[in-house]
């Protein structure tokens, strides 16, 4: 099949400093109203930052004429590629302290251009940072340090086409720069979907998901992008390679696993064959309230260890449920959802509800096999889930320190881990800032052997020192995760901000192998760095 034309992009303006679209940001009045709920925040919101207020130096390098048409030094483009969308990125932009801004931004359209850009960069001491949608919340798209003459942000979003669809094998050959909506709109006419919907879906790319081993929205079975990969094509300074497209193989270490989660450190993922699914047409949902959070944990574990495989099995503690509007009586709320492309799912939902009732859950259930949850806890949660990153930026404008960190642990450690984070992070935030903090928890993904708790911390910061406050709170949180043998990240990349925790957790033989691989790909060791394609 020939390449499928990509869909037109949204005409809305992306924010260069904060999450999402500029027209979706809270206005000053909404920011002030949110700030009033958190003691110690500013009297009025910080102004929206202007690119004209940034100190953007002239580029330290000039691309050759053969590459000039791919590269821009436009200040707005450079500023938009300087950082990701973590809290510390947003507050630094609000304080006009974005760090090192890339000298150039490149938009290659094919593998050959990616290879040529890497070759030129290697010859001229230019650091290259692969860039997808820029939604990184771990410092993954930011250059830190001064080891290179210049920095090039390699934006792959011009490579956004579905190149081929294999309907018999239910898979597709896709360029890595496709943003979530662009990818799905090309699959929709074929009745197919990748079915990977992280919260950053609108603002992240297939290549970014692969390079960070991203988690999606769905709570069980296929929770991470790894589950959908058939093969990858990667351009490295040492050459290009494409793994074989196979349903499974036991032939030695997986070549794809080498690059999945590598975060661009080993090469640039430019294409992938991905497993697809039929678009679901049968859906059903319900919410279950619990007065005892630990009983709710038991209910979630029972559902995870059944064969029901819910698409959504998200447990909100009382604080999270109140914030999202899912509950106003101090209850924790379990949001359940089932879907299928082949048949009704009402019986599966009913079985999950029975398991929840057996653990003292009180059920709100729309009519079976219908996604009719308007006005319910399910609908309230969905709206809050999509709106949350914008609200976080609004609170940042009020000088609040607010961010979510995520992890995963085995069931035997989950209750103590949650209790420790709530108690110790809350106490540390109070000690650091002098203001009371809220620490809410939700379980987003559940497995037979464990679960993924996500924690949201909110506290008034010290004006001008918000990043330092968050770093101090994060250090406390990281120590707790390490003590309870919980992963430093369940849902997305390690990046620069999780590096300390990651180094504590990875086995040393793996670390040695990774360092050897990076050395082998060092362009300074390549005899002919200009010959990159196989």
């Amino acid at each position: 099949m020939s390449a499928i034309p990509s869909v037109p992009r949204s005409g809305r303006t992306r924010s260069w400093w904060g999450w999402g679209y500029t027209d979706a940001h809270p206005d000053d009045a909404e920011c002030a109203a949110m700030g009033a709920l958190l003691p110690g925040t500013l009297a009025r919101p910080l102004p929206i930052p202007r690119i004209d207020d940034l100190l953007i130096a002239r580029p330290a390098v000039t691309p050759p004429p053969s590459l000039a048409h791919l590269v821009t030094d436009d200040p707005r483009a450079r500023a938009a590629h300087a950082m990701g969308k973590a809290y510390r990125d947003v507050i630094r932009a609000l304080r006009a302290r974005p760090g090192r801004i890339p000298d150039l931004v490149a938009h290659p359209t094919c593998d050959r251009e990616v290879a040529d850009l890497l070759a030129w960069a290697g010859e001229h001491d230019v650091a290259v940072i692969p860039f997808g949608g820029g939604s990184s919340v771990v410092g993954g798209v930011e250059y830190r340090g001064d080891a290179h003459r210049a920095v090039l942000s390699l934006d792959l979003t011009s490579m956004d086409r579905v190149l081929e669809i294999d309907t018999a094998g239910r898979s597709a050959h896709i360029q890595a720069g496709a943003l979530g909506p662009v990818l799905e709109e090309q699959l929709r006419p074929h009745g197919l979907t990748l079915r990977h919907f992280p919260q950053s879906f609108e603002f992240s790319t297939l290549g970014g998901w692969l390079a960070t081993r991203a988690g999606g929205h769905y709570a069980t079975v296929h929770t991470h992008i790894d589950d959908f990969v058939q093969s990858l094509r990667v351009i490295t300074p040492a050459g290009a390679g494409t793994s074989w497209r196979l349903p499974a193989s036991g032939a030695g270490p997986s070549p794809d696993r080498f690059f999945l989660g590598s975060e661009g450190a080993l090469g640039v993922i430019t294409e992938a064959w991905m497993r697809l699914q039929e678009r679901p047409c049968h859906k059903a949902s319900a919410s279950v309230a619990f007065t005892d959070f630990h009983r709710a944990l038991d209910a979630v574990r029972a559902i995870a260890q059944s064969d029901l495989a819910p698409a959504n099995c998200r447990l909100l503690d009382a604080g999270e449920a109140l914030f999202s509007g899912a509950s106003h009586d101090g209850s924790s709320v379990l949001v359940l959802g089932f879907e299928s492309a082949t048949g009704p799912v009402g019986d599966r939902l009913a079985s999950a509800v029975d398991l929840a009732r057996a653990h003292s859950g009180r059920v709100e259930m729309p009519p079976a096999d219908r996604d009719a949850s308007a006005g319910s806890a399910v609908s309230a949660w969905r709206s809050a889930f999509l709106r949350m990153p914008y609200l976080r930026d609004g609170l940042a404008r009020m000088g609040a320190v607010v961010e979510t960190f995520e992890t995963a642990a085995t069931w035997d450690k989950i209750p103590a881990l949650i209790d420790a984070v709530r108690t110790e992070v809350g106490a540390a935030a109070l000690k650091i800032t002098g203001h009371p903090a809220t620490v809410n928890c939700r379980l987003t993904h559940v497995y037979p052997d464990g679960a993924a708790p996500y924690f949201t911390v909110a506290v008034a910061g010290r004006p001008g020192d918000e990043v330092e406050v968050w770093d101090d709170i994060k250090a406390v949180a990281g120590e707790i995760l390490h003590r309870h043998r919980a992963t430093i990240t369940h849902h997305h990349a390690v990046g620069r901000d999780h590096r300390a925790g990651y180094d504590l957790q990875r086995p040393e033989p793996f670390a040695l192998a990774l360092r050897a691989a990076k050395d082998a790909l060092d362009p300074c060791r390549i005899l002919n760095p200009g010959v990159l394609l196989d």
Side-chain angles (χ1 to χ4, degrees):
M1 179 181 291
S2 60
I4 299 167
S6 61
V7 298
R9 301 190 185 184
S10 168
R12 301 169 73 185
T13 301
R14 284 281 303 274
S15 171
W16 71 268
W17 65 272
W19 186 263
Y21 297 114
T22 57
D23 60 11
H25 286 185
D27 60 21
D28 287 3
E30 187 176 1
C31 291
M34 288 190 294
L37 301 175
L38 204 59
T41 54
L42 301 175
R44 61 181 61 86
L46 295 169
I48 298 293
R50 302 186 318 143
I51 291 177
D52 291 345
D53 294 333
L54 304 178
L55 297 176
I56 303 180
R58 292 179 59 83
V61 292
T62 301
S66 60
L67 299 176
H69 65 291
L70 303 174
V71 176
T72 180
D73 62 359
D74 174 71
R76 182 176 182 85
R78 293 168 63 190
H81 287 74
M83 299 181 298
K85 302 303 181 188
Y87 168 81
R88 57 166 47 88
D89 301 327
V90 170
I91 197 68
R92 285 159 58 207
L94 288 168
R95 297 290 186 184
R97 299 192 300 232
R100 182 162 178 176
I101 294 175
D103 296 77
L104 301 168
V105 178
H107 289 87
T109 62
C110 64
D111 282 7
R112 176 75 260 175
E113 291 171 354
V114 172
D116 290 344
L117 286 162
L118 291 182
W120 168 73
E123 293 169 355
H124 292 83
D125 191 29
V126 177
V128 177
I129 300 180
F131 191 100
S135 63
S136 170
V137 292
V138 292
V141 297
E142 178 183 352
Y143 182 88
R144 296 179 188 171
D146 56 4
H148 294 83
R149 177 185 175 196
V151 178
L152 173 72
S153 181
L154 189 70
D155 187 316
L156 297 177
T157 52
S158 293
M159 300 172 65
D160 65 354
R161 302 180 76 185
V162 173
L163 300 173
E164 184 179 356
I165 292 180
D166 172 8
T167 53
R170 213 165 61 181
S171 53
H173 186 197
I174 308 168
Q175 290 183 307
L179 291 159
V182 173
L183 186 161
E184 286 293 332
E185 284 305 309
Q186 293 176 81
L187 299 178
R188 187 181 301 275
H190 303 270
L192 298 170
T193 175
L194 181 59
R195 198 179 178 269
H196 183 78
F197 301 106
Q199 191 176 36
S200 61
F201 173 73
E202 285 184 279
F203 312 113
S204 54
T205 62
L206 173 63
W209 303 339
L210 297 168
T212 61
R213 293 184 64 204
H217 165 75
Y218 292 101
T220 63
V221 188
H222 300 300
T223 61
H224 276 69
I225 196 67
D226 315 32
D227 301 323
F228 303 114
V229 177
Q230 275 190 332
S231 74
L232 300 178
R233 178 160 178 81
V234 184
I235 311 297
T236 81
T242 305
S243 59
W244 283 19
R245 182 185 165 216
L246 296 166
S249 175
S254 167
D256 295 331
R257 289 281 171 183
F258 191 61
F259 293 101
L260 289 168
S262 66
E263 303 185 36
L266 302 178
V268 181
I269 299 170
T270 59
E271 297 173 7
W273 272 95
M274 304 297 295
R275 299 181 178 94
L276 306 177
Q277 300 177 59
E278 293 181 31
R279 302 187 73 85
C281 54
H282 301 274
K283 298 182 180 182
S285 61
S287 64
V288 186
F290 294 84
T291 56
D292 184 331
F293 184 72
H294 288 276
R295 292 284 284 166
L297 288 175
D298 292 338
V300 171
R301 177 165 52 86
I303 294 169
Q305 292 175 347
S306 71
D307 61 355
L308 297 172
N312 198 6
C313 186
R314 189 168 297 238
L315 176 61
L316 316 178
D317 74 1
E320 190 80 16
L322 177 63
F323 178 80
S324 68
S327 172
H328 298 279
D329 63 1
S331 297
S332 300
V333 174
L334 172 61
V335 178
L336 288 170
F338 288 83
E339 62 179 40
S340 172
T342 57
V345 293
D347 288 347
R348 287 160 58 197
L349 176 63
S351 295
V353 164
D354 287 343
L355 287 173
R357 282 199 181 103
H359 292 84
S360 305
R362 309 186 313 275
V363 180
E364 173 196 333
M365 186 163 61
D369 200 38
R370 202 175 87 209
D371 195 24
S373 53
S376 69
V378 178
S379 180
W381 163 77
R382 285 175 178 160
S383 298
F385 176 74
L386 296 174
R387 183 71 172 144
M388 181 57 209
Y390 293 103
L391 301 183
R392 180 208 62 178
D393 290 359
L395 282 168
R397 291 187 61 201
M398 297 303 299
V401 176
V402 55
E403 187 64 289
T404 296
F405 66 92
E406 31 82 20
T407 184
T410 52
W411 281 116
D412 60 317
K413 296 180 175 63
I414 287 291
L417 169 66
I418 293 174
D419 289 344
V421 170
R422 283 170 166 168
T423 302
E424 297 179 41
V425 171
L430 174 61
K431 182 177 179 181
I432 292 166
T433 67
H435 300 293
T438 63
V439 183
N440 296 331
C441 175
R442 61 186 181 271
L443 297 191
T444 63
H445 299 70
V446 294
Y447 306 92
D449 55 346
Y454 284 43
F455 301 92
T456 298
V457 183
V459 64
R462 296 191 303 263
D465 292 331
E466 294 91 350
V467 172
E468 290 76 11
V469 169
W470 176 240
D471 285 341
D472 291 343
I473 295 173
K474 179 178 171 57
V476 173
E479 190 280 325
I480 297 170
L481 299 185
H482 185 64
R483 189 193 331 144
H484 289 266
R485 299 190 69 81
T487 180
I488 195 64
T489 173
H490 164 269
H491 205 65
H492 46 57
V494 173
R496 291 163 177 82
D497 296 336
H498 287 344
R499 180 61 186 268
Y502 177 64
D503 286 343
L504 286 173
Q505 295 184 353
R506 62 179 175 172
E508 183 58 22
F510 173 78
L512 289 172
L514 189 59
R515 284 196 291 271
K518 289 180 178 178
D519 287 344
L521 294 175
D522 186 343
C524 296
R525 298 172 183 262
I526 301 172
L527 294 178
N528 187 359
V531 181
L532 294 178
L533 294 181
D534 56 351

